[in-house]
Amino acid sequence: MAKKEQEAVFTPVGINTSNNSKVEKSVDLPEPTKKTHKQLGLSDDEVLEMFEQMYLQRRFEERAMQMYQKGKFGGFLHLYIGQEAVSTGTVFALNDDDDIITAYRDHGWGLVRGVTPKEGMAELFGKAAGCSKGKGGSMHFANVEQHFWGGYGIVGGHIPIGAGLAFANKYQDNGRISTCFFGDGAVDQGALHETLNMSQLWKLPCVFIVENNGYSMGTATRRHTVGEIHERAKGYGMKSAVFNGMDALTVYENMKNIAKEVREDKMPWFVEIRTYRYRGHSMSDPQKYRSKEELEEYQKTDPIERMKSYILDKKIAKKADIEEIENKVEDEVLEAVEFADETPFPEPEALYEDMFAGEPHFHDKK
Amino acid sequence: MAELQFREALLEAIDEEMGRDESVFIMGEEVAEYNGAYKVTEGLLDKYGFKRVIDTPISELGFAGIGVGAAMNGLRPIVEFMTFNFAVLAADQIINHASKVRYMLGGQASCPIVFRGPNASAGQLGATHSVAYDSMYAHFPGLSVIYPSEPDDAKGLLKSAIRNDDAVIFMESEQMYGLKGEVSEEDDYLIPIGKGKIKREGSDVTVVATGKMYHIVKQAAAEMAKDGVEMEIIDPRTIKPLDIDLIVESVKKTNRCVIVDEAHPFGGLASEVGFLIQREAFDYLDAPVRRVTLPDVNAPFSKPLFDLWLPDAKQVVEAVNAVTYRT
Ligand SMILES: Cc1ncc(C[n+]2csc(CCOP(=O)(O)OP(=O)(O)O)c2C)c(N)n1
Ligand SMILES: [Mg+2]
């Protein structure tokens, strides 16, 4: 066989190709909403609450990162920094008893669904007072009582589970809907496709939401998945949407409408929210796959700074009021760190607790 | 002999085999442009290009299956899993297809494929990232399972695995990639699959361990030697085929045996070796065989619970003391 001129190439090539230092954005952000909070039915106070919530998520994680670097805890630490508008806009749009389930990038979701900063930080430290008793750590924040079903570490593993939550809601006819969040990387898992098909076929009241933050570890979205993510829905005849995730009001507006429809029509949706992760995939990521310029480009659209400007522009509050909120959050987070440091580790017996509901059994326990 | 890190020994093996056989290629998450999540594939993309060093999406079932099909159709894929905890998603391809296709087609097809990546726990990574799967794969006919403990074993066995004409599960450890050791500089260094190795000679007790557990045992052996107890450490290196003869021979000499296995206790390497010893060396045993394993509990995150969960040198010492009636 004659030697071919061009060798076969399988995966789209990426990181090492020069683009003359042009910022090649890994994810295109659609325009944010032009509506004001009033037009969206949000009060001034609610906007301030949204700001506070986002600021809490940010400061909590910045402190967590410091504590990790100081060696206060080990394991993985995946930060949500940059994506806070998604969790915040969503939770304000949902009913309090609607279900939420997500992947391991879960701190923001926990905090906005009732995990206190103390319980969250204690979980990171592996302490008994943590939201999951120190058994789960960073990847497994949860507050089941408030319908936050937790963070999961196997990419795509929780997608069918999200549909299962919706199945139970439909079965029990309780009026609740379920929302299942996952990354752009998870879109490539077979579990997604099986789940979308069954959800449409079985008319499950579930919203499947991709938080497209531009990367799956070191792989830019265009290098790991084909086409436009939200268009996957077409193949299943499922309703879909794509919108900007760097603006909490945009997330709120869209999620509010979608939740209403899902509740009324009892049919699933597939949604792509475009956002950006500022930090590395986890703490051990040298981030050689993106340029500083690219990161800075997205930081210009920071959801927290954006909300702050909005509050000032719309005269919802004064600069001093915002600072007061910031100081309050800062204190709360510092208290949480102190608490996490001092509160005890689980007792040795805890190793065998939470394995079974009833009489536990352990093979060959001595 | 050259001193190499475990990851470097693996890289040499892959590099040499890719160099000598065009049908060998490697694919997995972040293996190419990122140079490997644990840098095992560092530099391979530059050397062999995009055709033979392939980044995959997070689609374990899909790319494992594409590997199986490619292997059946004339290639020799090396499929890297970021950890074997994620290979669970590909279990259908490994267990239902790679291990069975030759047999069910009456010998018409081959499946020369290596599934490799880190196995078992790597610190506080929680319940879903900490499972040892070596014994589970060893359960299935048609698969070879290799879990080396030192760079030299890793190099010689990985080269053999890549040349093997059937599916091989090749296991590593995140915590061993940086481990240094002397590696043979012999040209085309191959270690036969299925041959264990006496890693330390001793007369008082046989201790069987492989992979990461070997290093815990080594630590315990150094401690016990101070007390005058000489452990004979046998590293089977391959879980399947298992070099039971080597183990039995040693037990006939020491009359006592402890197996250390980073798996849960039910139906693992430890129970299999224990069974075979009682059948093959019953009359030689001076004490019941003991094992050190994980408890029958999922991996906790919290540091003190995790430390309690993971087998350590202290537990090995206790088990050795028990079989030598020193307690
Ligand atoms: C089944 C499986 N394969 C691989 C991994 C390793 N891994 C963890 S996160 C990740 C990237 C996921 O990216 P994405 O879904 O975009 O989520 P993001 O991290 O951006 O939030 C990978 C490959 C895993 N946890 N589970
Ligand atoms: Mg992503």
Side-chain angles (χ1 to χ4, degrees):
Chain A
M1 207 167 71
K3 183 123 177 90
K4 298 218 183 72
E5 292 273 293
Q6 214 55 112
E7 272 211 326
V9 168
F10 297 95
T11 299
V13 303
I15 327 182
N16 296 325
T17 48
S18 157
N19 58 1
N20 298 322
S21 18
K22 185 174 118 258
V23 175
E24 197 176 306
K25 289 200 187 172
S26 51
V27 47
D28 281 323
L29 299 176
E31 281 299 306
T33 184
K34 294 208 167 54
K35 295 203 179 122
T36 63
H37 67 289
K38 288 269 159 63
Q39 288 169 320
L40 295 174
L42 284 165
S43 68
D44 286 2
D45 282 349
E46 280 171 318
V47 172
L48 289 173
E49 272 175 52
M50 282 171 111
F51 171 76
E52 177 173 337
Q53 184 48 239
M54 284 198 286
Y55 192 72
L56 171 65
Q57 293 176 36
R58 178 74 53 96
R59 291 305 291 152
F60 178 92
E61 288 201 319
E62 284 170 345
R63 288 287 177 205
M65 185 172 64
Q66 273 182 349
M67 294 304 117
Y68 187 89
Q69 284 159 346
K70 276 174 95 174
K72 290 285 182 187
F73 61 93
F76 284 139
L77 182 67
H78 307 92
L79 300 176
Y80 195 60
I81 293 178
Q83 303 181 214
E84 297 94 340
V86 180
S87 55
T88 307
T90 297
V91 166
F92 277 77
L94 295 181
N95 291 346
D96 286 346
D97 62 354
D98 288 336
D99 302 299
I100 296 175
I101 188 166
T102 190
Y104 45 83
R105 207 174 289 287
D106 59 358
H107 311 144
W109 289 103
L111 292 171
V112 68
R113 259 297 167 87
V115 170
T116 65
K118 282 183 180 166
E119 290 163 345
M121 202 61 81
E123 188 60 35
L124 294 179
F125 279 55
K127 299 300 183 73
C131 57
S132 302
K133 299 190 199 163
K135 292 260 174 72
S138 165
M139 296 201 290
H140 307 301
F141 274 31
N143 183 355
V144 169
E145 203 170 278
Q146 293 189 33
H147 306 275
F148 172 50
W149 295 90
Y152 294 82
I154 298 296
V155 170
H158 68 288
I159 297 174
I161 300 177
L165 299 172
F167 179 98
N169 287 336
K170 175 169 175 169
Y171 194 101
Q172 292 162 356
D173 196 17
N174 60 17
R176 282 159 48 195
I177 66 165
S178 300
T179 58
C180 177
F181 290 81
F182 45 92
D184 48 286
V187 170
D188 305 333
Q189 286 288 19
L192 174 76
H193 303 280
E194 300 186 15
T195 305
L196 291 187
N197 180 52
M198 290 177 80
S199 300
Q200 185 73 10
L201 192 67
W202 290 3
K203 303 182 170 55
L204 301 183
C206 193
V207 193
F208 300 96
I209 302 123
V210 184
E211 286 188 71
N212 181 357
N213 59 7
Y215 291 94
S216 163
M217 265 189 189
T219 307
T221 310
R222 72 188 157 77
R223 289 189 58 239
H224 72 73
T225 207
V226 292
E228 294 291 337
I229 289 176
H230 60 97
E231 288 180 356
R232 295 282 206 287
K234 280 189 194 162
Y236 301 97
M238 193 179 286
K239 288 186 185 170
S240 69
V242 53
F243 51 87
N244 184 312
M246 301 301 274
D247 176 48
L249 294 181
T250 305
V251 175
Y252 174 84
E253 176 183 26
N254 284 282
M255 288 306 293
K256 188 93 188 161
N257 292 337
I258 292 166
K260 183 164 175 278
E261 270 214 44
V262 172
R263 220 180 297 279
E264 282 166 5
D265 295 359
K266 310 210 159 31
M267 286 299 282
W269 272 67
F270 184 68
V271 175
E272 176 184 352
I273 304 186
R274 301 226 175 123
T275 176
Y276 196 77
R277 121 167 108 62
Y278 290 4
R279 301 283 167 175
H281 169 74
S282 67
M283 297 302 285
S284 58
D285 176 1
Q287 300 179 60
K288 287 193 188 134
Y289 48 82
R290 67 175 173 195
S291 65
K292 216 173 98 227
E293 290 75 24
E294 178 185 308
L295 173 61
E296 283 164 1
E297 195 66 20
Y298 285 96
Q299 282 173 327
K300 286 183 203 151
T301 64
D302 184 66
I304 296 176
E305 287 306 314
R306 187 184 173 86
M307 185 64 104
K308 208 192 273 190
S309 311
Y310 182 88
I311 290 169
L312 295 172
D313 281 356
K314 291 280 180 286
K315 302 199 164 35
I316 294 171
K318 294 198 194 60
K319 219 163 167 224
D321 303 321
I322 291 180
E323 276 167 17
E324 198 178 313
I325 295 175
E326 289 176 346
N327 290 336
K328 186 182 117 193
V329 166
E330 188 65 34
D331 289 347
E332 212 180 339
V333 171
L334 285 174
E335 266 174 52
V337 169
E338 203 173 308
F339 172 79
D341 211 13
E342 284 165 5
T343 190
F345 280 110
E347 295 298 324
E349 304 82 76
L351 181 61
Y352 289 90
E353 289 164 5
D354 304 312
M355 279 294 297
F356 295 98
E359 188 60 31
H361 55 85
F362 302 102
H363 180 69
D364 198 28
K365 186 177 176 204
K366 285 163 287 272
Chain B
M1 287 295 211
E3 182 165 86
L4 292 184
Q5 287 185 349
F6 206 98
R7 67 156 63 77
E8 293 167 336
L10 295 168
L11 177 56
E12 272 197 5
I14 298 169
D15 188 4
E16 286 178 18
E17 292 308 298
M18 286 181 76
R20 70 178 278 282
D21 182 351
E22 278 237 25
S23 66
V24 178
F25 71 98
I26 184 160
M27 66 172 156
E29 291 156 25
E30 311 284 1
V31 300
E33 297 208 41
Y34 198 81
N35 275 304
Y38 300 103
K39 303 291 172 240
V40 171
T41 51
E42 190 149 36
L44 288 179
L45 175 63
D46 284 347
K47 187 160 177 187
Y48 295 103
F50 286 100
K51 177 181 168 188
R52 297 178 67 194
V53 184
I54 305 169
D55 279 326
T56 65
I58 316 178
S59 306
E60 284 84 1
L61 176 61
F63 68 75
I66 287 174
V68 171
M72 289 166 63
N73 200 15
L75 303 184
R76 290 189 174 269
I78 304 169
V79 172
E80 174 174 311
F81 293 114
M82 211 171 262
T83 101
F84 269 97
N85 290 278
F86 310 149
V88 173
L89 281 75
D92 173 55
Q93 286 302 326
I94 303 172
I95 295 169
N96 279 332
H97 297 89
S99 77
K100 296 180 171 56
V101 68
R102 177 189 299 281
Y103 189 79
M104 58 195 190
L105 302 188
Q108 299 179 78
S110 281
C111 191
I113 189 169
V114 177
F115 297 105
R116 53 157 287 273
N119 181 42
S121 73
Q124 297 168 260
L125 303 185
T128 60
H129 285 56
S130 305
V131 179
Y133 287 98
D134 40 308
S135 293
M136 183 192 89
Y137 286 112
H139 180 78
F140 300 102
L143 296 175
S144 298
V145 182
I146 302 176
Y147 190 14
S149 62
E150 292 185 296
D152 185 74
D153 308 316
K155 179 170 177 190
L157 281 163
L158 183 51
K159 280 170 67 77
S160 297
I162 296 167
R163 287 190 208 178
N164 195 61
D165 286 332
D166 292 298
V168 178
I169 308 287
F170 190 96
M171 298 180 147
E172 301 150 19
S173 161
E174 278 108 308
Q175 290 170 320
M176 290 197 304
Y177 284 132
L179 185 97
K180 286 187 178 158
E182 294 296 325
V183 177
S184 166
E185 282 179 297
E186 196 180 300
D187 243 11
D188 215 15
Y189 180 55
L190 296 166
I191 297 175
I193 297 171
K195 285 274 162 272
K197 189 175 176 185
I198 300 171
K199 294 242 160 153
R200 182 188 196 279
E201 288 196 33
S203 52
D204 297 325
V205 53
T206 300
V207 182
V208 179
T210 189
K212 204 168 70 198
M213 290 298 107
Y214 163 72
H215 298 279
I216 284 168
V217 170
K218 206 172 129 189
Q219 233 178 295
E223 260 175 62
M224 298 225 68
K226 288 185 216 147
D227 283 353
V229 178
E230 294 301 335
M231 286 165 46
E232 176 141 301
I233 308 178
I234 300 209
D235 177 359
R237 305 192 289 195
T238 62
I239 310 299
K240 203 182 186 185
L242 180 67
D243 193 353
I244 191 65
D245 294 347
L246 187 71
I247 298 169
V248 166
E249 205 182 309
S250 171
V251 171
K252 285 183 178 171
K253 180 176 85 176
T254 64
N255 313 110
R256 300 154 205 279
C257 186
V258 170
I259 306 134
V260 185
D261 181 10
E262 191 188 341
H264 300 293
F266 196 95
L269 173 70
S271 37
E272 186 60 26
V273 171
F275 165 77
L276 290 170
I277 289 173
Q278 67 79 34
R279 195 183 68 192
E280 302 299 323
F282 186 77
D283 290 334
Y284 293 85
L285 285 175
D286 284 346
V289 174
R290 285 245 174 184
R291 64 179 172 186
V292 176
T293 67
L294 294 173
D296 192 22
V297 163
N298 293 322
F301 165 74
S302 182
K303 181 82 168 72
L305 297 186
F306 178 78
D307 290 345
L308 206 59
W309 179 80
L310 192 69
D312 59 13
K314 192 169 144 268
Q315 283 170 271
V316 177
V317 169
E318 279 164 12
V320 168
N321 280 337
V323 298
T324 51
Y325 299 109
R326 288 159 42 88
T327 38

